[in-house]
Amino acid sequence: MYTGKTQQPCCLCGREETAVRMDIPPRAVQLLDNSGPIAWRDIEGDVSLHFCESDWTTVHDVVLDAGMTPLPRCNAARADFVLREDFEALLNDVRDEPDQTPLEQEMLADAERVVDEYDDPDALHSERDLVEARVVQWALDELGHQPTA
């Protein structure tokens, strides 16, 4: 029985055994390696990147110590996401592109909250949460996300 997203290989090295998952907004797929043929506007929901333990250590250090995003090194072919079904070809009908703005706003708000609360011991955010939050913020900044008023 399918109960959600499947386990994907490490998006950096391809190793099957992964230890950490990080979610990014659909539009951030454009920043991944080999993402050209992916119709990111047709992605429903967030995109999950999986990392093996050794690569996660590298990602952790690159994000928190060097202040750089790992996304350009991640292979889009190893990302986990759902594409909307293509009924347009079957039914000769054109559907509107999904509006991903609410998802982006929610992910950005969550990321900002994690960054703001990280040093608060009552918030209980892990370093994984902080890495994901920074990557989401940087991705949306690079893609020109406009914060809500």
Side-chain angles (χ1 to χ4, degrees):
M1 176 171 75
Y2 177 73
T3 58
K5 291 187 175 186
T6 59
Q7 185 75 8
Q8 293 294 110
C10 177
C11 67
L12 291 172
C13 70
R15 188 173 298 136
E16 290 297 321
E17 299 82 27
T18 58
V20 179
R21 185 185 97 205
M22 177 171 58
D23 295 329
I24 60 174
R27 199 160 46 114
V29 164
Q30 299 171 92
L31 303 175
L32 303 178
D33 189 29
N34 300 315
S35 64
I38 298 173
W40 66 267
R41 287 179 180 88
D42 288 336
I43 295 175
E44 294 181 344
D46 52 16
V47 175
S48 295
L49 304 175
H50 298 262
F51 300 93
C52 66
E53 193 153 344
S54 65
D55 283 343
W56 177 252
T57 301
T58 302
V59 168
H60 175 277
D61 294 345
V62 163
V63 171
L64 297 184
D65 295 340
M68 297 170 47
T69 181
L71 295 184
R73 298 267 186 207
C74 296
N75 190 339
R78 296 184 185 129
D80 187 18
F81 53 86
V82 176
L83 288 174
R84 69 182 177 146
E85 295 184 27
D86 188 9
F87 290 111
E88 294 173 6
L90 179 64
L91 303 175
N92 198 21
D93 185 25
V94 177
R95 297 186 316 177
D96 293 333
E97 289 178 353
D99 180 11
Q100 297 169 344
T101 306
L103 175 62
E104 284 186 5
Q105 290 173 345
E106 179 183 338
M107 291 184 84
L108 184 59
D110 288 345
E112 290 171 346
R113 183 180 45 77
V114 168
V115 170
D116 290 344
E117 295 176 353
Y118 183 72
D119 291 327
D120 181 0
D122 293 333
L124 302 176
H125 296 297
S126 68
E127 283 190 329
R128 189 216 68 83
D129 297 336
L130 183 60
V131 169
E132 180 180 83
R134 292 276 188 211
V135 170
V136 167
Q137 285 180 320
W138 294 336
L140 291 175
D141 284 348
E142 185 172 337
L143 294 167
H145 177 77
Q146 299 299 321
T148 58

